[in-house]
Amino acid sequence: MKKENSISRRSFLKRSAVAGAVGGVVGTGSAASVLTSCCGSGGSSDAVKPLKEPGTYYVPDLVDFAKDGKELKAGIIGCGGRGSGAAFNFLAAANGITITALGDTFKDRVDDLAGKLKSEKNIDIPEDRRFTGLDAYKQVIDSGVDVIIVATPPNFRPIHFQYAVEKGKHSFLEKPLCVDPVGYRTLIVAAKQAAAKKLCVVTGTQRHHQRCYVEAYKQIMNGAIGEITGGTVYWNGGMLWYKDRQPGWSDGEWMIRDWVNWTWLSGDHIVEQHVHNLDVLTWFTGLKPKSAVGFGSRQRRVTGDQFDNFSIDFEMENGIHVHSMCRQVHETVSNVSEFLQGTRGSWSSANSVIKDLKGNVIWQFDEEAEKAAYKQTDPYTLEHVNWINHIRSGEPIEQASETAVANMAAIMGRESAYTGAKVTWDEMTASSLDLYPQDIDLVKKMSIAANGYGSGKEFKLPDFIHIPGKPQGNQTR
């Protein structure tokens, strides 16, 4: 708390000197104190009214390093790019922690991460703690670890989390948490069980551990932009990596190695990537989407069966509308941000600024002040700091059910775009849609589940996996 207050005072003093030039006060102090000085006395009709009273909503303690305490042994489930990144984020977050087990579908992935841990951290993962195959998650969880980090392709995460909770393990879950309604319901049940067991569950929606977002959230809860009336959320960027099929790879092996391009594995990019922006929307508003109407298309994707652009209109519970836009196409204008409009002003995460209705800047997060006050500014590491602090303090945290709301919003948008139908929260959360394959076989041809897309028939690779046109380049990782 002292560090947060020091940022607020430094930012306010630094920026208030230029207040006259911008027509408002700029700072990172509380909205109640900073904005009231601009808008009149607290007793005026124009007084700021908090959306939520302080203490009624969760704000993480974003310190540089987790407190010392019980030694923790972690198991990593999913050793690809994000799993490897999460492993090193975890190790950077505290003293007295280590990694003792690794699991992945493929041995080369496990061995790659084991090699990095040995060369960079002098952590030796013996062969009998390197698990491979589709059941590797069980072996990792049962290996004597205290905590698990789940970074497998998203379709697998609900069952991995479910087993971890059954075994009483604290969990860090990468986003998204599921790709379909069946996975969503599995996740919600497991989250309730985790809470009942007083386990600590933190998710990889790193905006919740990014100080500029947390400070903006506090400002908005304090009433800085008034009642939220609408907004737009964006993830418009280039195409992600992909894997060309290699000789000898089965359907299953190729798709799992190329998972970010297949709907049954990733949920499509509106779920896998754009969930970050939708999470900010549901977090800041505290609302679920009531319905979604959208469209999308496939223009340049090279592998897989997904779209590469979506445009969705969400109607929220209270009737406001928010536009969701995401795209993965090279050489197009990029925008990864969120914008919220309120009755008193607006907030944009693009430059972490709040403006009044006349366009005057009344608050802006001070990155230089953050760098001066803190050593750790990486949200990917801070989410592990927060997780470890909760575990060592014996203070349970359960973020899976909150992240699941944004996850379901993304699924609703995808299904509306795929079908052209209006999709509601009630019908989608009750839907029997299940993208999990009937039989995942890493050697033979695969069959897809009876889920409305294939009805248990043999999986057939789509005809459009090689699209003629402008090449995008192989960004394989």
Side-chain angles (χ1 to χ4, degrees):
M1 291 304 293
K2 290 182 179 178
K3 289 181 178 178
E4 288 183 1
N5 289 338
S6 67
I7 288 179
S8 299
R9 289 193 294 270
R10 183 181 295 108
S11 301
F12 178 76
L13 293 173
K14 175 181 176 182
R15 294 183 178 275
S16 61
V18 296
V22 297
V25 176
V26 186
T28 55
S30 70
S33 61
V34 175
L35 294 185
T36 299
S37 67
C38 302
C39 302
S41 66
S44 73
S45 60
D46 200 29
V48 176
K49 179 182 178 182
L51 296 185
K52 295 182 179 179
E53 293 297 330
T56 64
Y57 51 88
Y58 176 71
V59 176
D61 186 14
L62 299 181
V63 294
D64 286 328
F65 204 64
K67 65 179 68 177
D68 291 338
K70 175 187 175 182
E71 292 188 3
L72 298 173
K73 296 179 293 184
I76 311 297
I77 304 172
C79 299
R82 185 74 285 269
S84 297
F88 283 91
N89 295 143
F90 172 76
L91 293 171
N95 292 317
I97 59 176
T98 191
I99 294 170
T100 60
L102 304 177
D104 195 279
T105 305
F106 305 111
K107 188 176 188 302
D108 60 290
R109 292 282 187 154
V110 172
D111 290 343
D112 283 349
L113 179 52
K116 292 176 184 176
L117 289 171
K118 179 63 176 177
S119 63
E120 298 181 34
K121 294 293 183 179
N122 198 30
I123 294 175
D124 188 17
I125 308 295
E127 287 291 338
D128 64 357
R129 290 294 182 270
R130 302 183 190 186
F131 304 108
T132 59
L134 294 172
D135 287 336
Y137 72 97
K138 291 183 178 180
Q139 295 167 297
V140 171
I141 293 169
D142 292 339
S143 69
V145 297
D146 304 299
V147 303
I148 61 129
I149 295 171
V150 179
T152 50
N155 197 326
F156 301 131
R157 290 175 192 164
I159 58 173
H160 294 176
F161 177 46
Q162 181 183 49
Y163 191 74
V165 172
E166 179 185 327
K167 296 296 183 175
K169 307 299 182 182
H170 303 292
S171 301
F172 176 84
L173 308 174
E174 264 304 340
K175 60 79 207 166
L177 306 184
C178 59
V179 301
D180 53 42
V182 172
Y184 167 83
R185 292 193 294 272
T186 299
L187 180 82
I188 291 297
V189 170
K192 290 180 179 179
Q193 292 171 342
K197 290 186 174 185
K198 300 187 183 306
L199 297 174
C200 295
V201 182
V202 167
T203 62
T205 46
Q206 74 271 8
R207 306 295 195 240
H208 286 256
H209 296 90
Q210 192 166 347
R211 293 190 185 97
C212 60
Y213 277 88
V214 173
E215 291 300 317
Y217 175 74
K218 288 159 62 178
Q219 294 286 332
I220 291 172
M221 292 306 99
N222 284 342
I225 68 171
E227 296 288 336
I228 298 172
T229 58
T232 309
V233 293
Y234 310 86
W235 193 303
N236 293 336
M239 187 186 69
L240 294 187
W241 56 272
Y242 65 90
K243 296 283 189 181
D244 288 321
R245 188 169 190 165
Q246 301 300 308
W249 282 3
S250 66
D251 294 347
E253 179 169 0
W254 179 34
M255 285 187 283
I256 293 174
R257 288 189 182 275
D258 189 45
W259 67 269
V260 79
N261 297 289
W262 297 90
T263 298
W264 76 267
L265 282 160
S266 78
D268 211 317
H269 70 94
I270 189 174
V271 175
E272 197 280 325
Q273 186 178 66
H274 190 44
V275 70
H276 278 303
N277 315 100
L278 293 171
D279 168 68
V280 172
L281 167 65
T282 55
W283 171 28
F284 275 52
T285 63
L287 300 170
K288 299 192 295 287
K290 180 181 178 181
S291 64
V293 176
F295 55 85
S297 67
R298 180 189 180 93
Q299 300 294 330
R300 299 194 210 165
R301 214 167 195 92
V302 179
T303 67
D305 61 352
Q306 299 182 174
F307 284 3
D308 52 25
N309 61 88
F310 289 87
S311 178
I312 313 294
D313 172 54
F314 286 103
E315 181 182 358
M316 307 304 285
E317 289 176 294
N318 64 351
I320 69 170
H321 283 253
V322 175
H323 185 204
S324 155
M325 184 190 304
C326 58
R327 177 178 60 217
Q328 289 183 346
V329 177
H330 280 353
E331 299 177 359
T332 57
V333 63
S334 294
N335 185 355
V336 180
S337 68
E338 302 82 27
F339 173 85
L340 293 178
Q341 181 65 52
T343 54
R344 298 180 64 90
S346 62
W347 166 73
S348 172
S349 69
N351 48 10
S352 197
V353 66
I354 292 176
K355 296 181 179 180
D356 65 19
L357 295 176
K358 295 181 179 180
N360 298 314
V361 175
I362 57 175
W363 177 88
Q364 185 168 18
F365 183 74
D366 193 332
E367 292 183 2
E368 294 305 314
E370 180 192 23
K371 292 175 183 177
Y374 294 95
K375 295 178 181 179
Q376 183 57 262
T377 60
D378 176 23
Y380 291 96
T381 299
L382 288 173
E383 56 194 10
H384 288 273
V385 170
N386 190 42
W387 182 40
I388 294 166
N389 273 340
H390 275 275
I391 294 170
R392 286 180 168 171
S393 299
E395 298 175 359
I397 181 174
E398 190 283 286
Q399 291 188 328
S401 55
E402 180 182 13
T403 304
V405 174
N407 211 145
M408 179 51 66
I411 292 169
M412 290 168 60
R414 180 193 70 204
E415 292 306 304
S416 179
Y418 279 6
T419 63
K422 180 178 181 178
V423 174
T424 69
W425 175 272
D426 289 343
E427 68 185 5
M428 189 51 57
T429 54
S431 169
S432 62
L433 180 64
D434 180 6
L435 302 185
Y436 203 87
Q438 195 175 59
D439 179 29
I440 303 177
D441 196 314
L442 298 180
V443 179
K444 303 174 183 178
K445 284 187 176 293
M446 284 181 58
S447 297
I448 56 177
N451 55 25
Y453 291 149
S455 301
K457 297 179 181 178
E458 185 178 274
F459 180 85
K460 181 179 182 298
L461 294 176
D463 295 331
F464 51 71
I465 61 170
H466 291 293
I467 302 294
K470 190 172 183 179
Q472 302 205 62
N474 191 335
Q475 301 178 58
T476 304
R477 69 175 182 187

